[in-house]
Amino acid sequence: MDKTLKTVEEELNWLIKDYKATTDYKPNKHVETLNYNVVYDRKNIKLTFQFLMLPKEDSLVLKIIYLIRDNQKDYHQVEYPLSKIRTELNLPMINEYDYQRIHDVMDYEVLGDKIKSTVSQLTQGLTFTEVIRRNIKEIIKHGRTLRKIQLEKN
């Protein structure tokens, strides 16, 4: 496992203790994936923090994924890929200060024919873990809001 992902793992230990999160890790030649899964509201909501280590781009990205189960037991997925923050991605569960911090660490430049991050992977990882820590209650609350919206549609 990459050093940055190990640091993320250490920083998010509290998620396992406080929210009964489970983790899974998938190595690959092109991307390493570390997931933190939190299941709540009687197993109707699964919240996943998906960390993707992209070695070619020297970048770490985070996706916040909600898997919402409706009354018919169908699943609906809502994703917030933080890598798209510069395209006016709406993150209602993240406060303004942390939104700006994410925006700042998702800075890239083009070198030749490759896109490279201008911010170190470790800085990105630590920023993401701090954002999760400070906004976890709102992130969980947003999952409940998404489920309520889904139930109203059905």
Side-chain angles (χ1 to χ4, degrees):
M1 182 185 287
D2 182 87
K3 179 180 73 174
T4 300
L5 288 179
K6 282 189 187 300
T7 303
V8 166
E9 217 174 27
E10 290 167 13
E11 291 293 317
L12 291 180
N13 268 341
W14 61 271
L15 205 54
I16 295 169
K17 291 178 192 150
D18 298 350
Y19 291 91
K20 310 285 186 264
T22 59
T23 62
D24 59 87
Y25 170 73
K26 296 175 192 137
N28 182 310
K29 186 167 85 173
H30 303 288
V31 64
E32 286 183 63
T33 306
L34 176 63
N35 292 327
Y36 279 82
N37 304 301
V38 179
V39 178
Y40 60 103
D41 276 9
R42 298 185 190 153
K43 299 184 181 179
N44 289 315
I45 303 171
K46 179 181 178 185
L47 167 63
T48 301
F49 297 104
Q50 185 176 68
F51 293 88
L52 302 162
M53 176 65 70
L54 307 166
K56 273 190 173 178
E57 292 82 10
D58 291 328
S59 179
L60 176 71
V61 295
L62 170 63
K63 274 188 191 178
I64 300 173
I65 305 167
Y66 293 94
L67 195 59
I68 310 289
R69 186 167 68 175
D70 64 21
N71 286 338
Q72 286 75 39
K73 307 232 185 290
D74 291 328
Y75 286 93
H76 306 274
Q77 187 165 310
V78 180
E79 286 189 12
Y80 295 93
L82 301 191
S83 60
K84 301 211 186 293
I85 197 158
R86 291 181 176 261
T87 60
E88 302 304 316
L89 175 68
N90 185 21
L91 298 171
M93 68 296 221
I94 305 291
N95 68 43
E96 217 173 294
Y97 171 76
D98 286 322
Y99 183 94
Q100 187 58 49
R101 292 196 60 219
I102 295 166
H103 188 277
D104 292 346
V105 298
M106 296 309 295
D107 192 24
Y108 294 89
E109 63 185 2
V110 178
L111 295 173
D113 60 345
K114 294 183 180 177
I115 296 174
K116 294 279 187 187
S117 175
T118 59
V119 178
S120 80
Q121 294 167 324
L122 187 59
T123 302
Q124 289 172 327
L126 290 172
T127 300
F128 294 149
T129 59
E130 287 173 24
V131 167
I132 291 169
R133 183 185 304 273
R134 279 200 297 271
N135 294 276
I136 187 67
K137 286 183 172 60
E138 286 301 312
I139 292 169
I140 286 176
K141 188 173 150 186
H142 184 65
R144 291 183 176 117
T145 302
L146 290 173
R147 181 155 194 269
K148 204 177 291 180
I149 291 167
Q150 197 59 52
L151 292 175
E152 288 169 4
K153 285 183 183 178
N154 293 335

